Amino acid sequence: MNNQMLGIIDAAVNQHSLQDLTAGRSIGAVPFAGRYRLIDFALSCMVHAGIRSVAVFSKSPYRSLMDHLGTGKEWDLNRKRDGLFFLPSSLPHEEHVGLGSFRQFAEHLDYFQRSTQQYAAVANSYTVGHIPFQEVLKQHIESGCDLTEICQDGKPLGMYVTKKSLLREMIEGHGAEGAQSFEEVCRKERDSLSVNSYEHSGYTAVIDSPESYLFHSLNLIHPVFREQIFHMGQPVYTKIKNDPPVKYAKNSRVKQSIIA
């Protein structure tokens, strides 16, 4: 049985509450913890789950995100077969839809048609944490449900696992119906879809407002939180920048800070 997953990261979600941070970049390209970008966490989780084909959907402005992702080399996704796909959208930046715009997916329907994976993991680009997509897939298959929604403390994290065939049916059925999203359709069609819930434990940060960005950034000063996000077992991969380091003079005073 082909239990491989296709990775889909929606970096085009327009969070109006984060306009000050996303005026010149997509939300996935927002810096976090000094050396990382928000998209690094979802992308690294997918790679650790053995996902070898990842599509990043984005819309303007996406230059910063493209520069960061490059060929996907840092995530071992610069491959002859599968690999990292950057799929820009023609949708206007002002158009606000939830996670997984079907109009956006429909513009690149051939990507879904050509892929050979049986399942798909759909994720946003602004959740920080270690999401075990392989465990989610295992529970999804055992449940026999149409869709598995990843939650924490009963609250959805904006991440899902489903069969790719069902996702294609949704794209083909809703792609021309205006600003409809995967998240919205799943919510509306709960009576016709069987939905399983995967309860995730462990530290997770959803960056959806300036307040949450500040709160979770300051949390990293405390080792108990930092060690849950950055540990040797599942490193967070990112683009390496060999820039000159900051110089600290003899009378410099640095307290409660993370030096990236």
Side-chain angles (χ1 to χ4, degrees):
M1 188 176 186
N2 178 10
N3 287 350
Q4 291 183 320
M5 282 183 287
L6 194 67
I8 300 163
I9 300 178
D10 186 357
V13 176
N14 184 10
Q15 290 280 9
H16 291 294
S17 58
L18 285 172
Q19 284 182 344
D20 290 342
L21 295 175
T22 58
R25 69 182 82 225
S26 68
I27 190 170
V30 170
F32 189 77
R35 65 178 299 208
Y36 301 95
R37 304 298 179 101
L38 288 179
I39 198 172
D40 291 339
F41 297 90
L43 194 52
S44 297
C45 287
M46 288 184 175
V47 170
H48 288 308
I51 297 175
R52 295 295 176 259
S53 179
V54 180
V56 176
F57 288 84
S58 185
K59 58 185 177 184
S60 182
Y62 50 74
R63 184 177 66 179
S64 177
L65 186 61
M66 283 188 68
D67 176 71
H68 178 70
L69 295 175
T71 63
K73 179 181 178 181
E74 283 77 7
W75 297 270
D76 192 28
L77 290 173
N78 55 333
R79 298 165 170 265
K80 290 183 178 179
R81 180 177 298 178
D82 291 333
L84 180 68
F85 297 84
F86 190 88
L87 305 177
S89 170
S90 64
L91 299 181
H93 180 67
E94 296 77 16
E95 182 172 316
H96 179 73
V97 294
L99 173 70
S101 165
F102 282 125
R103 281 179 58 186
Q104 179 178 255
F105 288 170
E107 289 181 338
H108 300 282
L109 185 59
D110 59 330
Y111 171 75
F112 298 93
Q113 293 171 336
R114 292 176 183 177
S115 60
T116 59
Q117 290 80 2
Q118 185 176 356
Y119 296 91
V122 182
N124 62 59
S125 63
Y126 50 84
T127 296
V128 175
H130 288 284
I131 308 298
F133 284 107
Q134 273 294 345
E135 289 184 21
V136 180
L137 175 63
K138 181 181 178 182
Q139 189 187 101
H140 174 74
I141 295 172
E142 290 174 351
S143 72
C145 290
D146 296 316
L147 178 75
T148 292
E149 183 177 50
I150 303 174
C151 302
Q152 186 162 35
D153 298 327
K155 297 179 180 178
L157 291 177
M159 297 185 177
Y160 304 85
V161 169
T162 186
K163 274 194 173 184
K164 190 192 69 177
S165 57
L166 176 60
L167 180 58
R168 274 188 57 185
E169 288 176 13
M170 288 182 169
I171 296 170
E172 292 167 355
H174 299 280
E177 295 181 3
Q180 292 241 41
S181 70
F182 178 78
E183 196 170 41
E184 180 183 9
V185 170
C186 290
R187 189 166 56 246
K188 287 181 178 178
E189 297 185 0
R190 278 187 177 269
D191 291 338
S192 59
L193 293 173
S194 54
V195 181
N196 173 52
S197 179
Y198 176 91
E199 187 65 25
H200 172 63
S201 60
Y203 185 80
T204 303
V206 179
I207 310 300
D208 56 2
S209 67
E211 291 78 15
S212 63
Y213 182 75
L214 176 62
F215 176 80
H216 291 293
S217 295
L218 292 177
N219 266 354
L220 294 176
I221 295 173
H222 306 291
V224 65
F225 297 121
R226 190 168 63 247
E227 290 170 4
Q228 291 185 62
I229 297 177
F230 305 106
H231 56 81
M232 295 302 293
Q234 287 191 325
V236 180
Y237 302 116
T238 190
K239 179 181 179 180
I240 303 300
K241 290 188 176 181
N242 295 318
D243 294 333
V246 175
K247 182 178 180 180
Y248 296 92
K250 290 183 179 180
N251 52 352
S252 298
R253 296 182 66 188
V254 181
K255 294 183 178 181
Q256 287 191 302
S257 300
I258 296 175
I259 311 301

